[in-house]
């Protein structure tokens, strides 16, 4: 459920207002990159993903049928912990299963199991046997795979791409630098298409792969409905 304004335990001094942004931000709850829907305090430059602003106190997940995940404001204990979905460190808000010891970033915990716009259908898997188009390896983290089984991307690899582009767009150009940041993710050379340069079907295939990547990125960023403005389709269709 979406509210225009909320109060939040992590930022009690001000009300947080809902807004939609095409500029990347760092969530002050889970400490991960976000885009699209967020709750924000403009006075303090404080941002929260939707999933972090209005969390579920406890959740279950189909990949871990025996687990019950509880929402925590910080990782338990003193030992460094990592997310079992993307394999990245957990340093802020977290869903934790006390009995199994599994951890999930809030946005990873809420990743849609299916992304489908009528043209591209992507399914989330705990493990897949085919190699990732980004790193070329199998296994590793959760993966999104296309229904045609031609495209596969680790959630961990998508997070790595986001971190690379985060530094490029957010820090080099300066936070909130306006139109220079409206082209959010320029992921040149991210995916290596196995096809040689040729005609119609290959071009369409690459365009579909670009759209698939676009869906996955917006889901990992915490808003599957976000429209990523970038040059993904351009560079892949010209591959």
């Amino acid at each position: 459920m979406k509210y225009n304004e909320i109060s939040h335990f992590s930022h009690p001094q001000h009300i947080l207002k809902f807004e939609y942004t095409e500029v990347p931000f760092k969530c002050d709850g889970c400490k991960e990159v976000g885009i699209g829907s967020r709750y924000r305090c403009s006075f303090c430059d404080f941002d929260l993903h939707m999933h972090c602003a209005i969390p579920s106190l406890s959740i279950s997940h189909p990949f871990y049928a025996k687990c019950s995940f509880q929402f925590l404001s910080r990782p338990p204990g003193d030992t460094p912990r990592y997310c079992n979905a993307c394999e990245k460190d957990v340093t802020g808000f977290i869903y934790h299963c006390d009995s199994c010891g599994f951890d999930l970033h809030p946005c990873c915990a809420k990743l849609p199991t299916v992304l489908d716009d009528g043209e591209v259908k992507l399914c989330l898997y705990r493990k897949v046997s085919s190699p990732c188009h980004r790193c070329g390896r199998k296994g590793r983290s959760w993966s999104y795979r296309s229904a045609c089984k031609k495209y596969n991307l680790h959630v961990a690899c998508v997070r790595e791409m986001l971190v690379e582009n985060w530094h490029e767009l957010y820090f080099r150009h300066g936070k909130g630098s306006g139109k220079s940041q409206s082209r959010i993710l320029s992921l040149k050379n991210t995916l290596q298409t196995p096809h040689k340069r040729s005609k119609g079907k290959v071009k369409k295939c690459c365009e579909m792969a670009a759209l698939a990547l676009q869906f996955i990125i917006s889901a990992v960023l915490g808003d599957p409905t976000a429209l990523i403005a970038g040059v993904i389709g351009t560079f892949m269709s010209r591959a």
Side-chain angles (χ1 to χ4, degrees), residues 11 14-17 39-47:
H11 194 72
H14 295 115
I15 293 295
L16 304 181
K17 295 185 178 181
Y39 281 93
R40 175 170 175 78
C41 172
S42 57
F43 298 109
C44 303
D45 193 22
F46 184 90
D47 300 293

Side-chain angles (χ1 to χ4, degrees), residues 200-235:
K201 287 186 178 179
V202 170
K203 181 178 180 181
K204 180 64 175 177
C205 183
C206 291
E207 289 173 348
M208 298 293 277
L211 186 56
L213 175 60
Q214 192 170 352
F215 272 121
I216 296 169
I217 289 170
S218 58
V220 171
L221 283 168
D223 189 351
T225 64
L227 296 178
I228 306 302
V231 296
I232 303 170
T234 302
F235 85 78

